[in-house]
Each structure stands twice: as structure tokens, then as C-alpha cells.
Amino acid sequence: MAYFPLHLSAVTDERCQSNSEAPEAQTDFGENDNPTLAIPFTPAEEAFTNAAFPINHTRTVLWPGSSITYLGGSKGMFFANVAQYNIEGTGAGNQYNTLVTVTADEAAPSFVRTLEQAFYADGPLWGSFGSVYSGLEGILLFANTDVGMKIAKVPPLFYADLSQVRDIPYAERFMKSSRLNDTASAFIPGLNPTSGDIFWSNYYRTWIFVYMSLTNVFYYRYALYGGISSITGPWSDEFELYDTSIQTWTNDDTFDYAGHAYSGYDPTGRSIMLSWSHGLDDEYMARVQFK
């Protein structure tokens, strides 16, 4: 089978950062400067924080790291990690993930923890890195592991039934290749991206993976053979997409992280919107134009 190289250029469009339709303020709903949590903690998670925080500033944190996967109608789902960290950013780390079902209505979306504890950190945290709907495979769940990215699948009607989750061994065969420059490897073992998104590109008719690791750079890979079934590989080598230091200055105390790609920003599919966090308080965005 033939494959076609995908070329992208990192072109920042200032209009995507400041225009009449862009939000200029954020409104939090809550009391005493504490925003209301969209995803609630369980009583056990709150009890841990109440007991540990006065002693060593350790608390339970819930970090959604992926976009919402549409289930049809007004519903969607995603997995979020539940971890234990102190204010210095150290601690026991991820404990498990939780499955959240989102329902939209005219007033506001509602969030329900359909499974309070889904997958545990002694194995793949399926779905925490992201999930996508594929008409051929069902809902695909991605997990970041020490040996590389892994894929599992679950039937859409049974997304909350963990007994229905199946990993995809033939996909792992591509993804755990030890050859750094092998275009048949989906993701580089040991790279361990910290955040990212996998999405279908209508413009290029293939799957694209945009991610950040422990650098201030967005990278990307794409499924070489194209087609909706190509998500399992083989995938391209890694290419640099966008250096966030163009907009943000970093040092030992601040860094850029939590990078995500929004493939639906441009209906033509020629460009994508990127966002990332800088330090503790700032969010940045850039539009990257596809050549």
C-alpha cells in the first residue's frame, strides 16, 4: 500500500487569539473564590484530603486530560485520572481513573461519575489519555504506559461495562517497536507524552496524533495508509509541529504543559487550534495551518 506524507506548517494566526468572538473573561460559579466543581469528589476522596492536607499538604486531585467522546443525542463520555499530590507537585501520583458521563441541556452540562473507580494505576489507565469513536472499532481507549501507547476498544452501548473492554494486540505490535526511526512504529517507547489528542482529519483522510512531552514543543504523527481503519498503524515518524516558546518565555520555575489540539476549529480541516498552560495561571492558544 502506498502512503502520502503529511506536511504542516506552524503559522500563528493572531486573529485566533484576539477577535470579536473570542472570550475575554472567565466566570466561575461558586463561593468564596472557589469555583464549583463540574466533576465531584467522592466522600472517600474528600476524607483523604481532609485528613492528609493539614499534615503534609497532600490532597486528592481529579484531572481530566482528554476531550469528550460523543455518544449520540445529548451525551458524551471521558475518563479522568484521580491522583494524590501535594502543593509541590509530588506524592503518590495516579491511583485510578474515573468514567464520567456528560449530558448537555440548555442550562448547562451535567457530569456524573458513572464509574467512580474504573481502571487502576497498576495497569493501563484506559481512556485517560483520550478516546475516540470509530465506526469500525467502536470506542477506542488510549493509555500511556512505560512501554508506549496502547489501544483498547469497547462497544459504544457498553462503554461503562469494563468486562467489555478489549485491548488490541496487533496495534500494540506497532506501538511498542523499539526502533526509533521505524515508520511502522506508532509511538516511540519511553516518550511518554504528557498530553495530546488523536483525531480523524477529513482533509487528509487519515488519523493524526498531536502531543506534548516534557518539552515546550508540540509534535505530531499520522497514520501512514489513511482510511478510517488506519488508526491501529503503521504510523509515521515524529515531526515537530509548534514550539510554544514562540509565545511564552520559560525558565526553571515555569514551563508549558497540558497541550491539546482542537480539530473541529476549522471545518475545512486545513488547520487546528492548539492550547497549552504556562506556569500556574496562564493559558495560550495558537492556530497551526496545514500546508
Side-chain angles (χ1 to χ4, degrees), residues 86-141:
N86 57 35
I87 57 177
E88 284 78 29
T90 61
N94 291 330
Q95 302 297 297
Y96 47 86
N97 64 12
T98 182
L99 172 61
V100 181
T101 300
V102 185
T103 303
D105 60 32
E106 294 182 357
S110 63
F111 299 80
V112 175
R113 292 179 63 172
T114 306
L115 295 176
E116 293 181 351
Q117 298 183 16
F119 301 102
Y120 292 87
D122 58 354
L125 290 169
W126 296 117
S128 287
F129 197 87
S131 57
V132 298
Y133 178 85
S134 168
L136 295 178
E137 300 286 356
I139 296 177
L140 298 175
L141 308 175

